[in-house]
Amino acid sequence: MPERRKLRSELVLGEEIGAYTYVLTPELVEMYAVATDDRHPWYIEKSPFGGRIAHPTMVHMDYHRLEDKFLATPEEESGIHTEYDAEYINPARVGEKITVKARCAANIIKRGRRYVTMAVETFGEDGRPITRYNDTHAVSYEKEV
């Protein structure tokens, strides 16, 4: 029987969520460009970084894929996306392998609601950092004592 996936609210500070690697294909970049209505030539044709690059905000999709792979489904624990902060360090190049990993950066109760922050990092196949991304969800009300 497969191991039960954790809810966000069950994560502890510093706990590694998981990691995965994928190839940044031209199709992924084009789908994202169409979905965001941002068809800048750097994403579709060529950039000054040595070929096509991915839209920087694609890191949000990387995080959602990580959630799908390692955490319980949204039906098991509802949440409200409350905040995110992203740092774009280097461009992700189309055709390269991207590694995505995450850990729990905070699990706190504030004004009766639990907030969980995930720290997500992406790396290029040469090990260079691409993005650092913090994503916070309010996941449950706690009973006051």
Side-chain angles (χ1 to χ4, degrees):
M1 179 177 231
E3 187 177 321
R4 178 185 160 278
R5 294 180 183 195
K6 283 191 172 184
L7 301 170
R8 277 189 193 98
S9 59
E10 296 172 329
L11 298 169
V12 297
L13 181 64
E15 183 175 355
E16 297 288 326
I17 313 304
Y20 74 96
T21 301
Y22 73 98
V23 175
L24 183 62
T25 66
E27 293 80 16
L28 283 173
V29 174
E30 288 164 19
M31 283 191 307
Y32 192 83
V34 168
T36 58
D37 196 25
D38 186 354
R39 295 174 183 89
H40 192 283
W42 289 7
Y43 316 134
I44 305 302
E45 297 164 15
K46 186 179 178 185
S47 78
F49 299 102
R52 294 171 59 188
I53 62 170
H55 196 288
T57 59
M58 280 185 76
V59 67
H60 196 66
M61 300 309 300
D62 294 337
Y63 170 59
H64 284 298
R65 280 188 219 101
L66 190 132
E67 281 183 312
D68 290 345
K69 289 178 180 295
F70 300 109
L71 294 176
T73 63
E75 295 81 28
E76 296 175 78
E77 179 178 63
S78 61
I80 300 168
H81 187 249
T82 60
E83 181 180 353
Y84 79 92
D85 177 57
E87 178 183 5
Y88 305 106
I89 304 160
N90 287 296
R93 296 181 190 100
V94 172
E96 77 174 320
K97 288 182 184 173
I98 305 295
T99 298
V100 182
K101 66 180 187 174
R103 64 179 169 73
C104 178
N107 186 338
I108 61 169
I109 296 175
K110 184 169 136 183
R111 293 187 309 273
R113 177 156 306 263
R114 181 171 298 279
Y115 290 85
V116 179
T117 301
M118 304 293 195
V120 182
E121 295 178 291
T122 61
F123 300 90
E125 60 188 48
D126 59 0
R128 78 187 185 292
I130 294 174
T131 56
R132 289 188 195 103
Y133 177 77
N134 289 318
D135 190 275
T136 302
H137 280 78
V139 293
S140 66
Y141 283 110
E142 298 293 325
K143 292 182 181 180
E144 292 192 30
V145 230

